[in-house]
Amino acid sequence: MKVLIVDDEPLARARLQRLLLVHPAYQVVGEAADGGSGLQLAIELQPDLVFLDIEMPDRNGLSVAAELMQLQPPPAVVFVTAHPQHALAAYQVAPADYLLKPVSAERLATSLQRIGLATKAHLEKQQEQQWLSYKSGSSLRRIELQQLFYLQADEKYVRMVFAGGEALTELSLKQFEDLYPEQLLRIHRHTLVLKRRLKALHSLPDGRHVLELWQSDDLLEISRRELSRIRQLLLPVIP
């Protein structure tokens, strides 16, 4: 289950990271030091669970949680705060739990156990329909993962090529690979493709190999390192 930690205190974020190491079912995919950055990461990374501080610069955790609840599907939210007086206001946005700092290993374990079944159900729902988000001017847009053709490193950005267009994102190829290990396939150190798009492997006169994708005219270069694995994946569909 993908976890995002949003807290302006570096020591608090590090403590949660350390405590979560003994719970391998929960993978920290990102962290943010303020509410605005945390909301942006939540849109991009689509975590299943967000540990969220309440008193932070820029935006407080209560307003961030209210916006997180508008995402489709919304992540589970666990407030982590040093201020118990916020509990009543916090529960107005229906968090999964409310932890007081410093968080103990025992209390965290109890919290994860309490929300485990609900978070698992949320994850299964999310996997049915996954989304990729990107910026278009000042607007945030998204596409279904299944619309993707490929992702390619482009200097400090990654270029997303999908049915109907393309866009740039600041997420790295490694982050995409970690988020969607079952759906994405690396064919080159610069390129990931959606597995379901694999169509055919072609050899070029100069010894290079390229990949053809369903519903795309682009031919993508395959590295020698990945060639054997891709050939094996295509064998079942070769006549």
Short mmCIF file of all heavy atoms in Angstrom, two decimals, residues 21-81:
data_model
loop_
_atom_site.label_atom_id
_atom_site.label_comp_id
_atom_site.label_asym_id
_atom_site.label_seq_id
_atom_site.Cartn_x
_atom_site.Cartn_y
_atom_site.Cartn_z
N LEU A 21 9.12 0.83 8.52
CA LEU A 21 10.01 -0.18 7.95
C LEU A 21 9.64 -1.59 8.42
O LEU A 21 9.90 -2.57 7.71
CB LEU A 21 11.47 0.12 8.30
CG LEU A 21 12.10 1.30 7.57
CD1 LEU A 21 13.52 1.54 8.09
CD2 LEU A 21 12.14 1.05 6.07
N VAL A 22 9.06 -1.69 9.61
CA VAL A 22 8.69 -3.02 10.12
C VAL A 22 7.32 -3.45 9.62
O VAL A 22 6.81 -4.50 10.01
CB VAL A 22 8.73 -3.06 11.66
CG1 VAL A 22 10.12 -2.74 12.17
CG2 VAL A 22 7.71 -2.10 12.27
N HIS A 23 6.70 -2.65 8.76
CA HIS A 23 5.40 -2.98 8.16
C HIS A 23 5.58 -3.00 6.64
O HIS A 23 5.24 -2.02 5.95
CB HIS A 23 4.34 -1.96 8.57
CG HIS A 23 4.13 -1.86 10.05
ND1 HIS A 23 3.35 -2.74 10.75
CD2 HIS A 23 4.65 -0.99 10.97
CE1 HIS A 23 3.36 -2.42 12.04
NE2 HIS A 23 4.14 -1.37 12.20
N PRO A 24 6.13 -4.08 6.09
CA PRO A 24 6.50 -4.10 4.66
C PRO A 24 5.32 -3.94 3.70
O PRO A 24 5.53 -3.66 2.53
CB PRO A 24 7.18 -5.46 4.50
CG PRO A 24 6.70 -6.28 5.65
CD PRO A 24 6.50 -5.32 6.78
N ALA A 25 4.11 -4.13 4.20
CA ALA A 25 2.96 -3.95 3.32
C ALA A 25 2.72 -2.48 2.98
O ALA A 25 1.94 -2.16 2.08
CB ALA A 25 1.70 -4.54 3.96
N TYR A 26 3.39 -1.58 3.73
CA TYR A 26 3.21 -0.15 3.52
C TYR A 26 4.51 0.44 2.97
O TYR A 26 5.54 0.42 3.63
CB TYR A 26 2.84 0.54 4.84
CG TYR A 26 1.49 0.09 5.37
CD1 TYR A 26 1.37 -1.08 6.11
CD2 TYR A 26 0.33 0.81 5.09
CE1 TYR A 26 0.14 -1.51 6.58
CE2 TYR A 26 -0.90 0.40 5.55
CZ TYR A 26 -1.00 -0.77 6.29
OH TYR A 26 -2.22 -1.19 6.75
N GLN A 27 4.45 0.99 1.76
CA GLN A 27 5.64 1.54 1.09
C GLN A 27 5.51 3.06 1.00
O GLN A 27 4.55 3.59 0.42
CB GLN A 27 5.78 0.97 -0.32
CG GLN A 27 6.96 1.55 -1.09
CD GLN A 27 6.92 1.20 -2.56
OE1 GLN A 27 5.94 0.66 -3.05
NE2 GLN A 27 7.99 1.53 -3.26
N VAL A 28 6.47 3.78 1.58
CA VAL A 28 6.47 5.24 1.50
C VAL A 28 6.92 5.65 0.10
O VAL A 28 8.05 5.38 -0.30
CB VAL A 28 7.39 5.86 2.56
CG1 VAL A 28 7.41 7.39 2.41
CG2 VAL A 28 6.91 5.48 3.96
N VAL A 29 6.02 6.30 -0.64
CA VAL A 29 6.34 6.69 -2.02
C VAL A 29 6.68 8.18 -2.14
O VAL A 29 7.11 8.63 -3.20
CB VAL A 29 5.17 6.36 -2.98
CG1 VAL A 29 4.96 4.85 -3.06
CG2 VAL A 29 3.88 7.06 -2.55
N GLY A 30 6.49 8.93 -1.04
CA GLY A 30 6.82 10.35 -1.11
C GLY A 30 6.63 11.03 0.23
O GLY A 30 5.98 10.49 1.13
N GLU A 31 7.23 12.22 0.37
CA GLU A 31 7.03 13.02 1.57
C GLU A 31 7.08 14.49 1.20
O GLU A 31 7.71 14.88 0.21
CB GLU A 31 8.06 12.69 2.64
CG GLU A 31 9.51 12.87 2.23
CD GLU A 31 10.44 12.56 3.40
OE1 GLU A 31 10.64 11.38 3.72
OE2 GLU A 31 10.97 13.54 3.98
N ALA A 32 6.39 15.30 1.98
CA ALA A 32 6.32 16.74 1.72
C ALA A 32 6.41 17.50 3.03
O ALA A 32 6.00 17.00 4.09
CB ALA A 32 5.03 17.10 0.99
N ALA A 33 6.93 18.73 2.96
CA ALA A 33 7.15 19.54 4.16
C ALA A 33 6.09 20.61 4.35
O ALA A 33 6.16 21.39 5.30
CB ALA A 33 8.54 20.19 4.11
N ASP A 34 5.11 20.70 3.45
CA ASP A 34 4.03 21.68 3.62
C ASP A 34 2.77 21.16 2.94
O ASP A 34 2.82 20.23 2.12
CB ASP A 34 4.43 23.04 3.04
CG ASP A 34 4.74 22.99 1.56
OD1 ASP A 34 3.79 22.96 0.75
OD2 ASP A 34 5.93 22.96 1.20
N GLY A 35 1.65 21.77 3.27
CA GLY A 35 0.36 21.28 2.78
C GLY A 35 0.19 21.36 1.28
O GLY A 35 -0.34 20.44 0.65
N GLY A 36 0.63 22.47 0.68
CA GLY A 36 0.48 22.62 -0.76
C GLY A 36 1.25 21.57 -1.54
O GLY A 36 0.72 20.95 -2.48
N SER A 37 2.50 21.33 -1.15
CA SER A 37 3.31 20.30 -1.81
C SER A 37 2.73 18.91 -1.57
O SER A 37 2.76 18.05 -2.45
CB SER A 37 4.75 20.35 -1.29
OG SER A 37 5.34 21.60 -1.56
N GLY A 38 2.20 18.71 -0.36
CA GLY A 38 1.60 17.41 -0.04
C GLY A 38 0.40 17.12 -0.92
O GLY A 38 0.23 15.99 -1.40
N LEU A 39 -0.45 18.13 -1.14
CA LEU A 39 -1.62 17.93 -2.00
C LEU A 39 -1.20 17.64 -3.43
O LEU A 39 -1.77 16.75 -4.08
CB LEU A 39 -2.51 19.18 -1.94
CG LEU A 39 -3.81 19.12 -2.73
CD1 LEU A 39 -4.68 17.97 -2.25
CD2 LEU A 39 -4.57 20.44 -2.61
N GLN A 40 -0.19 18.36 -3.93
CA GLN A 40 0.28 18.13 -5.28
C GLN A 40 0.83 16.71 -5.43
O GLN A 40 0.54 16.01 -6.42
CB GLN A 40 1.38 19.14 -5.64
CG GLN A 40 2.00 18.96 -7.02
CD GLN A 40 1.01 19.17 -8.14
OE1 GLN A 40 0.13 20.03 -8.04
NE2 GLN A 40 1.14 18.38 -9.20
N LEU A 41 1.61 16.25 -4.44
CA LEU A 41 2.15 14.88 -4.49
C LEU A 41 1.04 13.84 -4.43
O LEU A 41 1.12 12.80 -5.09
CB LEU A 41 3.14 14.65 -3.35
CG LEU A 41 4.57 15.15 -3.56
CD1 LEU A 41 5.41 14.85 -2.33
CD2 LEU A 41 5.20 14.50 -4.79
N ALA A 42 0.01 14.13 -3.65
CA ALA A 42 -1.11 13.19 -3.55
C ALA A 42 -1.80 13.04 -4.90
O ALA A 42 -2.21 11.93 -5.29
CB ALA A 42 -2.09 13.65 -2.49
N ILE A 43 -1.92 14.14 -5.64
CA ILE A 43 -2.54 14.09 -6.97
C ILE A 43 -1.67 13.28 -7.92
O ILE A 43 -2.16 12.48 -8.71
CB ILE A 43 -2.76 15.52 -7.50
CG1 ILE A 43 -3.83 16.24 -6.66
CG2 ILE A 43 -3.18 15.50 -8.97
CD1 ILE A 43 -3.96 17.71 -6.95
N GLU A 44 -0.35 13.47 -7.84
CA GLU A 44 0.56 12.81 -8.77
C GLU A 44 0.81 11.34 -8.42
O GLU A 44 0.84 10.48 -9.30
CB GLU A 44 1.90 13.55 -8.81
CG GLU A 44 1.81 14.95 -9.40
CD GLU A 44 3.15 15.66 -9.39
OE1 GLU A 44 4.10 15.13 -8.79
OE2 GLU A 44 3.23 16.75 -9.97
N LEU A 45 0.99 11.05 -7.11
CA LEU A 45 1.41 9.71 -6.69
C LEU A 45 0.25 8.79 -6.36
O LEU A 45 0.43 7.57 -6.27
CB LEU A 45 2.34 9.81 -5.48
CG LEU A 45 3.63 10.61 -5.69
CD1 LEU A 45 4.42 10.70 -4.38
CD2 LEU A 45 4.49 9.96 -6.77
N GLN A 46 -0.94 9.34 -6.14
CA GLN A 46 -2.13 8.56 -5.81
C GLN A 46 -1.88 7.56 -4.67
O GLN A 46 -2.02 6.35 -4.83
CB GLN A 46 -2.61 7.81 -7.06
CG GLN A 46 -2.95 8.73 -8.21
CD GLN A 46 -3.37 7.97 -9.45
OE1 GLN A 46 -4.06 6.97 -9.36
NE2 GLN A 46 -2.96 8.44 -10.61
N PRO A 47 -1.48 8.06 -3.49
CA PRO A 47 -1.23 7.14 -2.37
C PRO A 47 -2.53 6.53 -1.85
O PRO A 47 -3.61 7.09 -2.04
CB PRO A 47 -0.60 8.07 -1.32
CG PRO A 47 -1.20 9.41 -1.61
CD PRO A 47 -1.30 9.47 -3.11
N ASP A 48 -2.39 5.40 -1.19
CA ASP A 48 -3.54 4.77 -0.54
C ASP A 48 -3.75 5.33 0.86
O ASP A 48 -4.87 5.31 1.37
CB ASP A 48 -3.30 3.26 -0.45
CG ASP A 48 -2.96 2.67 -1.80
OD1 ASP A 48 -3.81 2.75 -2.70
OD2 ASP A 48 -1.85 2.15 -1.96
N LEU A 49 -2.66 5.82 1.47
CA LEU A 49 -2.70 6.29 2.85
C LEU A 49 -1.82 7.52 2.99
O LEU A 49 -0.69 7.53 2.51
CB LEU A 49 -2.21 5.17 3.78
CG LEU A 49 -2.05 5.47 5.27
CD1 LEU A 49 -3.38 5.88 5.90
CD2 LEU A 49 -1.48 4.25 5.99
N VAL A 50 -2.34 8.57 3.63
CA VAL A 50 -1.58 9.80 3.86
C VAL A 50 -1.49 10.06 5.36
O VAL A 50 -2.51 10.15 6.05
CB VAL A 50 -2.24 11.02 3.18
CG1 VAL A 50 -1.44 12.29 3.48
CG2 VAL A 50 -2.34 10.81 1.67
N PHE A 51 -0.25 10.15 5.87
CA PHE A 51 -0.02 10.61 7.24
C PHE A 51 0.15 12.12 7.15
O PHE A 51 1.07 12.62 6.50
CB PHE A 51 1.22 9.96 7.85
CG PHE A 51 1.02 8.52 8.22
CD1 PHE A 51 1.42 7.50 7.36
CD2 PHE A 51 0.43 8.17 9.42
CE1 PHE A 51 1.24 6.16 7.69
CE2 PHE A 51 0.24 6.84 9.76
CZ PHE A 51 0.65 5.84 8.90
N LEU A 52 -0.72 12.86 7.84
CA LEU A 52 -0.84 14.29 7.61
C LEU A 52 -0.75 15.08 8.92
O LEU A 52 -1.57 14.89 9.83
CB LEU A 52 -2.18 14.56 6.92
CG LEU A 52 -2.53 15.98 6.50
CD1 LEU A 52 -1.52 16.54 5.51
CD2 LEU A 52 -3.93 16.00 5.89
N ASP A 53 0.24 15.97 9.01
CA ASP A 53 0.34 16.89 10.14
C ASP A 53 -0.77 17.93 10.03
O ASP A 53 -1.29 18.19 8.93
CB ASP A 53 1.71 17.56 10.14
CG ASP A 53 2.00 18.34 11.42
OD1 ASP A 53 1.27 18.14 12.42
OD2 ASP A 53 2.93 19.15 11.41
N ILE A 54 -1.14 18.55 11.13
CA ILE A 54 -2.22 19.55 11.08
C ILE A 54 -1.67 20.96 11.02
O ILE A 54 -2.04 21.75 10.14
CB ILE A 54 -3.17 19.38 12.29
CG1 ILE A 54 -3.94 18.07 12.17
CG2 ILE A 54 -4.15 20.56 12.37
CD1 ILE A 54 -4.93 17.81 13.27
N GLU A 55 -0.77 21.32 11.92
CA GLU A 55 -0.22 22.68 11.92
C GLU A 55 1.03 22.74 11.06
O GLU A 55 2.08 22.24 11.45
CB GLU A 55 0.07 23.13 13.36
CG GLU A 55 -1.18 23.40 14.17
CD GLU A 55 -0.89 24.23 15.40
OE1 GLU A 55 0.28 24.53 15.68
OE2 GLU A 55 -1.86 24.58 16.10
N MET A 56 0.89 23.34 9.88
CA MET A 56 2.00 23.46 8.93
C MET A 56 1.97 24.83 8.27
O MET A 56 0.91 25.46 8.21
CB MET A 56 1.89 22.38 7.83
CG MET A 56 2.07 20.96 8.32
SD MET A 56 2.01 19.79 6.91
CE MET A 56 0.29 19.94 6.42
N PRO A 57 3.12 25.28 7.76
CA PRO A 57 3.11 26.53 6.99
C PRO A 57 2.38 26.32 5.67
O PRO A 57 2.15 25.19 5.24
CB PRO A 57 4.60 26.81 6.76
CG PRO A 57 5.25 25.46 6.85
CD PRO A 57 4.46 24.69 7.86
N ASP A 58 2.05 27.44 5.01
CA ASP A 58 1.38 27.41 3.71
C ASP A 58 -0.09 27.02 3.86
O ASP A 58 -0.97 27.85 3.71
CB ASP A 58 2.12 26.47 2.74
CG ASP A 58 1.46 26.40 1.37
OD1 ASP A 58 0.81 27.39 0.99
OD2 ASP A 58 1.58 25.37 0.69
N ARG A 59 -0.36 25.76 4.16
CA ARG A 59 -1.74 25.30 4.35
C ARG A 59 -1.77 24.31 5.48
O ARG A 59 -0.90 23.45 5.59
CB ARG A 59 -2.27 24.63 3.08
CG ARG A 59 -2.31 25.53 1.87
CD ARG A 59 -2.93 24.83 0.70
NE ARG A 59 -4.29 24.37 1.02
CZ ARG A 59 -5.07 23.78 0.11
NH1 ARG A 59 -4.64 23.58 -1.10
NH2 ARG A 59 -6.28 23.39 0.44
N ASN A 60 -2.81 24.39 6.34
CA ASN A 60 -2.87 23.43 7.43
C ASN A 60 -3.46 22.11 6.96
O ASN A 60 -4.08 22.01 5.90
CB ASN A 60 -3.64 23.99 8.64
CG ASN A 60 -5.12 24.16 8.37
OD1 ASN A 60 -5.79 23.26 7.85
ND2 ASN A 60 -5.66 25.32 8.72
N GLY A 61 -3.23 21.10 7.78
CA GLY A 61 -3.63 19.75 7.40
C GLY A 61 -5.12 19.56 7.25
O GLY A 61 -5.57 18.72 6.46
N LEU A 62 -5.93 20.34 7.97
CA LEU A 62 -7.37 20.18 7.87
C LEU A 62 -7.87 20.58 6.48
O LEU A 62 -8.71 19.88 5.89
CB LEU A 62 -8.07 21.04 8.94
CG LEU A 62 -7.78 20.65 10.39
CD1 LEU A 62 -8.44 21.64 11.35
CD2 LEU A 62 -8.26 19.23 10.68
N SER A 63 -7.36 21.68 5.94
CA SER A 63 -7.80 22.10 4.61
C SER A 63 -7.27 21.14 3.54
O SER A 63 -7.95 20.86 2.56
CB SER A 63 -7.35 23.53 4.31
OG SER A 63 -5.94 23.61 4.16
N VAL A 64 -6.05 20.63 3.74
CA VAL A 64 -5.50 19.65 2.79
C VAL A 64 -6.34 18.38 2.80
O VAL A 64 -6.68 17.83 1.74
CB VAL A 64 -4.03 19.32 3.13
CG1 VAL A 64 -3.52 18.17 2.25
CG2 VAL A 64 -3.15 20.55 2.92
N ALA A 65 -6.71 17.92 3.99
CA ALA A 65 -7.52 16.70 4.10
C ALA A 65 -8.87 16.86 3.41
O ALA A 65 -9.35 15.93 2.75
CB ALA A 65 -7.72 16.34 5.57
N ALA A 66 -9.46 18.05 3.54
CA ALA A 66 -10.75 18.30 2.89
C ALA A 66 -10.62 18.15 1.37
O ALA A 66 -11.52 17.61 0.71
CB ALA A 66 -11.26 19.69 3.25
N GLU A 67 -9.49 18.60 0.80
CA GLU A 67 -9.29 18.47 -0.65
C GLU A 67 -8.93 17.04 -1.03
O GLU A 67 -9.31 16.56 -2.10
CB GLU A 67 -8.22 19.44 -1.13
CG GLU A 67 -8.66 20.90 -1.04
CD GLU A 67 -7.93 21.77 -2.05
OE1 GLU A 67 -7.70 21.31 -3.18
OE2 GLU A 67 -7.60 22.90 -1.69
N LEU A 68 -8.18 16.36 -0.16
CA LEU A 68 -7.87 14.95 -0.44
C LEU A 68 -9.14 14.12 -0.55
O LEU A 68 -9.21 13.18 -1.34
CB LEU A 68 -6.97 14.37 0.66
CG LEU A 68 -5.53 14.87 0.73
CD1 LEU A 68 -4.83 14.29 1.96
CD2 LEU A 68 -4.75 14.52 -0.54
N MET A 69 -10.15 14.47 0.22
CA MET A 69 -11.40 13.73 0.18
C MET A 69 -12.14 13.91 -1.14
O MET A 69 -13.06 13.14 -1.46
CB MET A 69 -12.31 14.18 1.34
CG MET A 69 -11.79 13.82 2.73
SD MET A 69 -11.53 12.05 2.97
CE MET A 69 -9.75 11.92 2.76
N GLN A 70 -11.73 14.93 -1.93
CA GLN A 70 -12.38 15.16 -3.22
C GLN A 70 -11.74 14.36 -4.35
O GLN A 70 -12.28 14.31 -5.45
CB GLN A 70 -12.32 16.66 -3.57
CG GLN A 70 -12.96 17.58 -2.53
CD GLN A 70 -14.39 17.20 -2.23
OE1 GLN A 70 -15.20 17.02 -3.13
NE2 GLN A 70 -14.71 17.07 -0.95
N LEU A 71 -10.56 13.77 -4.08
CA LEU A 71 -9.91 12.96 -5.10
C LEU A 71 -10.71 11.69 -5.35
O LEU A 71 -11.42 11.19 -4.48
CB LEU A 71 -8.48 12.60 -4.66
CG LEU A 71 -7.52 13.77 -4.44
CD1 LEU A 71 -6.16 13.26 -4.01
CD2 LEU A 71 -7.40 14.64 -5.68
N GLN A 72 -10.59 11.17 -6.56
CA GLN A 72 -11.30 9.95 -6.91
C GLN A 72 -10.31 8.88 -7.37
O GLN A 72 -9.73 9.00 -8.44
CB GLN A 72 -12.31 10.25 -8.03
CG GLN A 72 -13.43 11.16 -7.61
CD GLN A 72 -14.26 10.58 -6.48
OE1 GLN A 72 -14.52 9.36 -6.43
NE2 GLN A 72 -14.68 11.42 -5.56
N PRO A 73 -10.11 7.84 -6.54
CA PRO A 73 -10.67 7.63 -5.22
C PRO A 73 -9.83 8.36 -4.17
O PRO A 73 -8.63 8.58 -4.38
CB PRO A 73 -10.57 6.12 -5.04
CG PRO A 73 -9.38 5.74 -5.85
CD PRO A 73 -9.35 6.66 -7.03
N PRO A 74 -10.41 8.75 -3.03
CA PRO A 74 -9.65 9.46 -2.00
C PRO A 74 -8.75 8.52 -1.20
O PRO A 74 -9.10 7.35 -1.01
CB PRO A 74 -10.75 10.05 -1.11
CG PRO A 74 -11.88 9.08 -1.24
CD PRO A 74 -11.83 8.58 -2.67
N PRO A 75 -7.59 9.00 -0.74
CA PRO A 75 -6.76 8.17 0.13
C PRO A 75 -7.31 8.16 1.55
O PRO A 75 -8.06 9.06 1.95
CB PRO A 75 -5.41 8.89 0.09
CG PRO A 75 -5.77 10.33 -0.10
CD PRO A 75 -6.99 10.33 -1.00
N ALA A 76 -6.93 7.16 2.32
CA ALA A 76 -7.20 7.18 3.75
C ALA A 76 -6.25 8.22 4.39
O ALA A 76 -5.10 8.34 3.98
CB ALA A 76 -6.97 5.81 4.36
N VAL A 77 -6.74 8.97 5.37
CA VAL A 77 -5.94 10.02 6.01
C VAL A 77 -5.79 9.71 7.49
O VAL A 77 -6.77 9.44 8.19
CB VAL A 77 -6.59 11.40 5.83
CG1 VAL A 77 -5.85 12.46 6.66
CG2 VAL A 77 -6.60 11.80 4.36
N VAL A 78 -4.54 9.73 7.97
CA VAL A 78 -4.25 9.62 9.40
C VAL A 78 -3.58 10.92 9.83
O VAL A 78 -2.49 11.24 9.34
CB VAL A 78 -3.33 8.42 9.71
CG1 VAL A 78 -2.91 8.43 11.18
CG2 VAL A 78 -4.03 7.11 9.37
N PHE A 79 -4.22 11.66 10.71
CA PHE A 79 -3.61 12.89 11.23
C PHE A 79 -2.53 12.53 12.26
O PHE A 79 -2.72 11.63 13.09
CB PHE A 79 -4.66 13.78 11.89
CG PHE A 79 -5.53 14.52 10.91
CD1 PHE A 79 -6.89 14.27 10.84
CD2 PHE A 79 -4.98 15.47 10.04
CE1 PHE A 79 -7.68 14.96 9.94
CE2 PHE A 79 -5.77 16.15 9.13
CZ PHE A 79 -7.14 15.89 9.08
N VAL A 80 -1.41 13.23 12.17
CA VAL A 80 -0.31 13.05 13.13
C VAL A 80 0.04 14.43 13.65
O VAL A 80 0.53 15.28 12.91
CB VAL A 80 0.93 12.41 12.46
CG1 VAL A 80 2.00 12.15 13.50
CG2 VAL A 80 0.55 11.11 11.75
N THR A 81 -0.24 14.69 14.93
CA THR A 81 -0.08 16.05 15.45
C THR A 81 0.35 16.04 16.91
O THR A 81 0.13 15.06 17.63
CB THR A 81 -1.41 16.82 15.32
OG1 THR A 81 -1.26 18.13 15.84
CG2 THR A 81 -2.53 16.12 16.05
#
